[in-house]
Amino acid sequence: MKIENTKAQMRKGVLEYCILSILKDDDAYVAEILETLKDAKMLVVEGTIYPLLTRLKNAGLLSYRWEESTSGPPRKYYGLTETGKLFLKELNTTWDELQNAVNLVTKQKKK
């Protein structure tokens, strides 16, 4: 078994939560979302993020708007809907519970 496969699956499992968290305060376009994920060492490619953003939009968690850009074509900015904000709030609680449970099982202290 290769560790890289397991690491990729772990990242994939929390990607939706991370994207919603990135958008909690401000709208962002895909390049900004990818940059934030990259800065956090969550390596994600565009081919992964676009279908996920579409799924989140279709679920009513995200909305988008087009905005003109001074350096190229218009950009699609994504933001949380009210439903998305409530969903994220529930995910925050679930994440805290999961993190505490994993820390207990693995005998690690919460940072």
Side-chain angles (χ1 to χ4, degrees):
M1 181 179 244
K2 294 188 178 184
I3 189 69
E4 289 307 315
N5 292 343
T6 302
K7 288 163 89 175
Q9 288 301 317
M10 291 172 81
R11 281 193 298 269
K12 219 182 265 188
V14 297
L15 185 56
E16 181 177 302
Y17 177 50
C18 290
I19 289 172
L20 293 173
S21 295
I22 289 168
L23 298 171
K24 75 179 180 294
D25 295 323
D26 291 311
D27 294 355
Y29 62 101
V30 172
E32 292 173 325
I33 295 168
L34 287 170
E35 187 66 28
T36 302
L37 292 168
K38 180 182 169 191
D39 290 347
K41 308 289 188 247
M42 291 206 45
L43 304 177
V44 180
V45 294
E46 285 185 37
T48 300
I49 201 164
Y50 280 109
L52 181 53
L53 289 170
T54 298
R55 189 167 55 78
L56 293 170
K57 181 188 73 61
N58 290 343
L61 303 178
L62 296 181
S63 60
Y64 68 86
R65 63 182 163 75
W66 288 99
E67 192 171 295
E68 291 297 323
S69 169
T70 57
S71 60
R75 294 176 175 163
K76 187 187 276 189
Y77 280 79
Y78 290 89
L80 291 181
T81 62
E82 288 305 313
T83 303
K85 290 175 185 176
L86 293 172
F87 190 81
L88 178 59
K89 188 175 179 182
E90 287 187 38
L91 283 181
N92 284 330
T93 300
T94 302
W95 178 254
D96 287 342
E97 291 168 353
L98 180 61
Q99 187 179 20
N100 288 332
V102 170
N103 287 339
L104 281 172
V105 170
T106 61
K107 308 288 189 266
Q108 296 180 22
K109 292 183 179 179
K110 188 175 178 179
K111 293 180 180 179

